[in-house]
Amino acid sequence: MKAHVWVMPKPTVLDPQGQTIQRALSSLGHAKVQGVRQGKFFVLELNGLSRAEAQSEVERIAKDVLTNPVIEEFRFEVLD
Amino acid sequence: MKAHVWVMPKPTVLDPQGQTIQRALSSLGHAKVQGVRQGKFFVLELNGLSRAEAQSEVERIAKDVLTNPVIEEFRFEVLD
């Protein structure tokens, strides 16, 4: 069973990496890009769990390990 | 208009960050997680482009700027 987790800077938090990329794109001629935000994407491979167990396990992992709750937020999905 | 870009290590490429996270999860009691791969996720904000133009612009940006083609692969979607 696979799960996907997205971890993004909170909307209220500055994203200096994203801003740097946006400026780089602008200087490379991609001026139509008005904003960039960069986050992390994780693919987890899980074995021996029911779908419901996987849901709660992935939520716990995303919340406790993959996300810094001060500056980041997450979302996730469990696939078959 | 928004676009999402995922950049992942190629399946044939080792992902030391992902492996480190997998071992950390295992030592934290999440032993059901058999594998982790970490990638990057970008949210782009585009203005003044048609949907078709945005598609080709985002593909060019993902290919030329956001992805290292030696070790990474990308996929993207353009949203309304």
Side-chain angles (χ1 to χ4, degrees):
Chain A
M1 193 178 280
K2 282 198 175 187
H4 292 162
V5 181
W6 291 259
V7 176
M8 295 299 292
K10 284 183 179 176
T12 50
V13 171
L14 283 176
D15 175 9
Q17 272 185 304
Q19 291 174 347
T20 300
I21 294 166
Q22 193 256 313
R23 280 194 294 268
L25 288 174
S26 188
S27 75
L28 289 168
H30 301 290
K32 297 288 173 65
V33 180
Q34 300 289 303
V36 178
R37 292 187 76 82
Q38 179 174 354
K40 289 174 278 187
F41 180 67
F42 301 91
V43 180
L44 307 181
E45 185 69 50
L46 299 129
N47 282 328
L49 294 174
S50 71
R51 195 181 175 83
E53 289 169 336
Q55 285 272 351
S56 72
E57 177 80 346
V58 172
E59 182 165 15
R60 212 169 325 121
I61 288 169
K63 193 174 173 185
D64 296 345
V65 184
L66 302 179
T67 304
N68 176 348
V70 179
I71 56 170
E72 293 172 330
E73 61 189 14
F74 69 90
R75 64 190 171 89
F76 69 96
E77 66 182 8
V78 174
L79 311 171
D80 291 322
Chain B
M1 193 178 279
K2 281 199 175 186
H4 293 161
V5 181
W6 291 259
V7 176
M8 296 298 292
K10 284 184 179 174
T12 50
V13 170
L14 283 175
D15 174 9
Q17 273 185 305
Q19 291 174 346
T20 300
I21 293 166
Q22 193 257 311
R23 280 192 296 268
L25 288 174
S26 188
S27 74
L28 291 167
H30 301 290
K32 297 289 173 62
V33 180
Q34 300 289 301
V36 178
R37 291 186 78 80
Q38 180 173 354
K40 289 173 279 187
F41 180 67
F42 301 90
V43 180
L44 307 182
E45 185 70 50
L46 300 131
N47 283 327
L49 294 174
S50 72
R51 195 182 176 82
E53 289 168 336
Q55 285 273 351
S56 71
E57 177 80 345
V58 172
E59 182 164 16
R60 211 168 328 122
I61 288 170
K63 194 174 172 183
D64 296 346
V65 185
L66 302 178
T67 303
N68 175 349
V70 179
I71 57 170
E72 294 172 331
E73 61 188 15
F74 69 90
R75 64 192 171 88
F76 70 95
E77 66 183 8
V78 174
L79 311 171
D80 290 321

